[in-house]
Amino acid sequence: MCGIVAYVGGKDCASILVDGLRRLEYRGYDSAGLAVHTGRGVDIVRAVGKLNNLDIALQKTPLKGTTGIGHTRWATHGRPSEANAHPHVAGDIAVVHNGIIENHVALRRALEGKGVRFSSDTDTEIVAHLVDEAVRGGESTLAGAVRAALKQVTGAYAIAVVSSKKPTEIVVAKAESPLVLGFGDGEMLAASDIPALLSHTRDVIFLQDGDMALLSREGVNITKLDGSQVTREKKRIDWSPTQAEKGGYKHFMLKEIHEQPRAIEDTLRGRLDVQAGDVVDEELGITEALAKKINRVYFVACGTSAHSAMAGRYWIEQLARIPSTVEIGSEVRYREPVFTENDLVVAVSQSGETADTLAAVKAAKAQGATILAVANVIDSAIPRASAGALYTHAGPEIGVASTKCFTTQLAALLMLAIGLGRRRGTLSASEARRLVDALSKVPHQMREVLAKADEVRHIAKRHIRARDMLFLGRGTGFPVALEGALKLKEISYIHAEGYAAGEMKHGPIALIDSEMPVVVICPRDVHYEKTLSNLQEVKAREGQLIAIATEGDRDVARMLVPDEAPRSSSWRTSVTQLEPDVSLIEIPSAEPEVLPLLTVIPLQLLAYYMADLKGTDVDQPRNLAKTVTVE
Ligand code: G6P
């Protein structure tokens, strides 16, 4: 999310910066801006909306100069507006930033205490003021001032900084958000991603976390934040511009599946208090009074978001002991539902614009319910209609089929349940600590699952001729089964059904024969034994089994292939294809509550590879839209 471009060299840079930003459009944005050193000082032009608006603004106020920084902003703190658009200015300093400053509340208070006046709601402006403060404090180099500022900052960032006093310098720095340097002829560039550089150079350096770089026409000096010199290897990029946009992945969907560990880190950032065993109040907007007053949680959502809401319901009931219900937006709006002032309506929506969800929100609000939005797009219609918003910070999702937005919604909803549980006294600090700890491990565990992508591809290949598929799960594995089936039908056009495994005997079992692939989600949780029986039932009917189980689960192995499992000691990590019709995908052992964040990943990959092998348009499946603003 957000795009940064920086240029220092011999050419007029405004058009170079805008062109670079255009090549980063796929990252999503809602406003844009430039800061260029004109020879007399740094001038700024910003505009809300698409880059064409910035072009128009630049026609009115041309920026002439050969050193500059540009930015497209995807709102995270503060609504999309010209005042919140980057660059942000303090004294001689202008800053663009991608990421989230975790300690922004404390830093802002401290700066305000010293008399600093802010002109935006952003966390980025804090960085500009901190750099300016260092300059005023006597720091003579731009690199030194940025270093002093960043020492106070925690969080994820890629920044680029220019100063009125330094006409031929740009300082950039990176922690967790991406930043690539490009080496031109008598010019240096920096950008959030390679596509912005390709028309100028193919020679790049990927900065690493904790790196800072001083860019000038002559080249670059890279140091760590503490000032110590580092050398980074220059690489030559031979990707086409489209390949570069997708980070080398074949489709945005695959890229977004692989982005999930980072997306979850962004969702959790600054919101977990591991020591206290709690989630941070300020961000979540759950006051004790609100938590205590609620006597029902009513989720409204559509599509994938309705599946994460279903998991949210399990957690709210289990951890906060509040009766909860989930309804899809299109049903609520015409059902004349009854809401009360003691209802908390949680509207889950990636886009924040889905018409049916919005209509349900309005109906609930009219009856006095409190509305909380769980959304990805800041300041979109649903958060605006709500009393509070819990943003998922997944970044823009380009693939129509939702992946990282689903798992970040799960993380947000689990945090909400923990927060409500603590404030209502239904969840002890030690239990909350267990959950917070489990959540913080998820990104790492997701990486372990993603490392098995190739194995999942092999499994997909085996089932490519399937006409129907069944997905079964219990507890929070049920919404995961629904989501697995939805992913498959959305992008591969293979008919798929998700079922609560306990319902299998009430119908779907009639479908099972040797032609039918059946995915059974059976990790080690409270439902494990029962789901194993389902597995057995599928096997007895010669269904083609794909089991999602916990790593090292020998019981599942014995059940899948009775003779095979005990013979090999290494089978647990090496075998996924146990028999022609039996596959096993293992996920790391984890606390039961976070399992859906892991078990869904093989299902996303399975759907992706089946669709790709069939040759469908994965990122833009037929008849589907990413955001549905009509009924
Ligand atoms: C569309 C999209 C789905 C999404 C649903 C709800 O159908 O194709 O991926 O889950 O809308 O969208 P929302 O933005 O409200 O989460």
Side-chain angles (χ1 to χ4, degrees):
M1 55 175 134
C2 300
I4 290 178
V5 185
Y7 176 91
V8 51
K11 297 179 193 144
D12 219 17
C13 70
S15 58
I16 295 175
L17 296 173
V18 175
D19 177 66
L21 293 176
R22 236 178 215 114
R23 288 166 203 276
L24 298 180
E25 275 191 308
Y26 72 90
R27 299 168 70 84
Y29 66 103
D30 39 51
S31 56
L34 302 186
V36 173
H37 202 297
T38 60
R40 293 180 308 282
V42 171
D43 283 356
I44 308 279
V45 171
R46 301 181 291 191
V48 177
K50 292 291 161 194
L51 283 167
N52 287 347
N53 296 351
L54 183 64
D55 278 334
I56 294 166
L58 283 166
Q59 279 160 20
K60 280 192 205 139
T61 317
L63 293 177
K64 291 253 166 258
T66 57
T67 301
I69 54 179
H71 190 263
T72 43
R73 172 174 189 252
W74 163 276
T76 58
H77 291 82
R79 52 191 289 274
S81 65
E82 196 176 321
N84 287 336
H86 301 207
H88 288 286
V89 177
D92 288 329
I93 302 299
V95 176
V96 294
H97 163 226
N98 169 7
I100 299 168
I101 306 294
E102 203 168 298
N103 55 341
H104 67 100
V105 176
L107 287 173
R108 194 178 178 110
R109 273 194 202 129
L111 284 163
E112 280 170 345
K114 292 178 197 166
V116 170
R117 307 235 347 230
F118 282 83
S119 45
S120 78
D121 307 321
T122 66
D123 50 347
T124 306
E125 195 185 340
I126 292 162
V127 180
H129 285 293
L130 290 175
V131 178
D132 178 52
E133 191 177 53
V135 171
R136 287 176 200 275
E139 178 53 59
S140 59
T141 66
L142 184 55
V146 172
R147 188 170 294 127
L150 291 181
K151 276 190 184 142
Q152 303 171 60
V153 164
T154 57
Y157 55 76
I159 59 163
V161 186
V162 287
S163 161
S164 292
K165 295 278 170 358
K166 310 280 177 187
T168 56
E169 285 185 8
I170 300 173
V171 172
V172 298
K174 166 193 154 53
E176 296 190 43
S177 297
L179 204 59
V180 197
L181 307 182
F183 294 76
D185 188 8
E187 57 192 15
M188 278 300 301
L189 295 102
S192 308
D193 204 354
I194 298 162
L197 305 176
L198 283 183
S199 46
H200 305 276
T201 179
R202 287 179 182 267
D203 295 325
V204 306
I205 283 180
F206 294 93
L207 285 185
Q208 293 180 17
D209 289 340
D211 284 356
M212 252 184 68
L214 172 65
L215 313 185
S216 65
R217 285 182 195 191
E218 289 72 42
V220 63
N221 180 34
I222 307 177
T223 61
K224 298 302 291 174
L225 261 193
D226 63 10
S228 57
Q229 291 289 324
V230 281
T231 316
R232 301 280 174 233
E233 195 194 339
K234 212 186 259 186
K235 296 211 164 100
R236 198 163 177 84
I237 300 295
D238 50 13
W239 289 345
S240 71
T242 334
Q243 254 180 316
E245 264 188 19
K246 293 173 185 157
Y249 290 102
K250 189 169 175 189
H251 294 100
F252 280 113
M253 181 181 175
L254 187 59
K255 177 171 177 260
E256 285 154 6
I257 290 174
H258 283 272
E259 271 172 6
Q260 289 179 105
R262 169 57 52 83
I264 296 290
E265 279 163 2
D266 286 342
T267 309
L268 302 180
R269 192 178 310 287
R271 288 166 163 174
L272 299 184
D273 187 339
V274 184
Q275 264 180 347
D278 205 348
V279 290
V280 177
D281 214 359
E282 199 154 355
E283 284 278 322
L284 298 183
I286 320 158
T287 60
E288 198 154 328
L290 173 66
K292 292 209 164 122
K293 134 182 168 178
I294 303 164
N295 58 20
R296 178 173 66 156
V297 174
Y298 199 117
F299 289 94
V300 290
C302 300
T304 288
S305 298
H307 297 155
S308 61
M310 283 176 71
R313 170 195 183 184
Y314 284 85
W315 292 322
I316 298 271
E317 291 192 334
Q318 178 200 334
L319 306 174
R321 306 300 298 143
I322 311 173
S324 302
T325 184
V326 181
E327 270 213 75
I328 47 176
S330 53
E331 282 300 308
V332 179
R333 65 186 298 185
Y334 294 114
R335 217 170 38 77
E336 298 188 28
V338 181
F339 293 101
T340 73
E341 286 178 0
N342 294 331
D343 282 338
L344 175 68
V345 171
V346 181
V348 187
S349 173
Q350 183 285 128
S351 61
E353 300 286 346
T354 301
D356 287 330
T357 308
L358 182 59
V361 161
K362 286 181 178 161
K365 199 173 163 182
Q367 292 181 46
T370 303
I371 319 287
L372 174 70
V374 174
N376 192 38
V377 180
I378 304 271
D379 208 39
S380 46
I382 293 168
R384 277 205 309 271
S386 305
L390 171 51
Y391 287 112
T392 52
H393 298 314
E397 195 175 60
I398 313 287
V400 165
S402 186
T403 52
K404 63 175 180 171
C405 286
F406 177 68
T407 46
T408 53
Q409 284 169 350
L410 291 178
L413 291 169
L414 182 50
M415 285 194 287
L416 176 65
I418 297 170
L420 286 171
R422 289 297 294 134
R423 274 142 204 82
R424 287 169 71 89
T426 53
L427 183 69
S428 69
S430 66
E431 266 294 278
R433 218 170 281 128
R434 173 183 70 80
L435 294 166
V436 164
D437 187 50
L439 262 173
S440 65
K441 288 186 181 135
V442 164
H444 175 69
Q445 292 171 324
M446 281 181 151
R447 289 187 178 101
E448 288 180 40
V449 183
L450 288 165
K452 299 181 185 197
D454 266 353
E455 295 173 51
V456 180
R457 188 171 182 280
H458 284 300
I459 296 169
K461 224 169 175 174
R462 302 189 67 85
H463 297 288
I464 195 63
R465 288 189 205 296
R467 289 175 54 87
D468 306 278
M469 248 170 106
L470 204 54
F471 290 74
L472 303 172
R474 286 173 189 256
T476 49
F478 172 34
V480 170
L482 291 171
E483 179 59 10
L486 179 65
K487 284 294 85 89
L488 189 71
K489 63 186 125 180
E490 278 180 317
I491 59 169
S492 75
Y493 317 140
I494 296 170
H495 170 242
E497 298 273 1
Y499 259 93
E503 275 288 291
M504 185 169 115
K505 55 189 172 294
H506 297 295
I509 197 165
L511 298 170
I512 300 172
D513 62 14
S514 60
E515 303 283 293
M516 174 72 102
V518 183
V519 177
V520 183
I521 300 151
C522 54
R524 286 268 179 190
D525 61 10
V526 58
H527 310 281
Y528 174 72
E529 300 289 340
K530 297 224 167 1
T531 319
L532 274 199
S533 316
N534 295 120
L535 218 123
Q536 193 110 54
E537 284 159 4
V538 174
K539 190 146 193 276
R541 282 155 190 84
E542 297 180 349
Q544 302 174 13
L545 257 175
I546 302 165
I548 316 288
T550 305
E551 206 165 61
D553 187 337
R554 298 187 75 83
D555 294 341
V556 168
R558 274 192 208 101
M559 184 165 289
L560 293 176
V561 188
D563 302 331
E564 191 85 1
R567 275 214 304 270
S568 158
S569 58
S570 65
W571 82 275
R572 107 181 147 79
T573 48
S574 60
V575 180
T576 52
Q577 194 62 53
L578 299 172
E579 271 186 353
D581 296 328
V582 181
S583 311
L584 171 67
I585 305 172
E586 296 180 319
I587 55 141
S589 169
E591 293 297 320
E593 290 81 356
V594 299
L595 285 171
L597 287 102
L598 303 175
T599 52
V600 76
I601 291 179
L603 307 191
Q604 296 168 340
L605 287 167
L606 188 67
Y608 170 77
Y609 285 120
M610 288 186 77
D612 186 40
L613 289 164
K614 283 188 74 180
T616 59
D617 187 347
V618 171
D619 282 334
Q620 289 180 329
R622 67 185 182 206
N623 306 336
L624 294 179
K626 181 86 192 153
T627 304
V628 183
T629 51
V630 292
E631 277 193 56

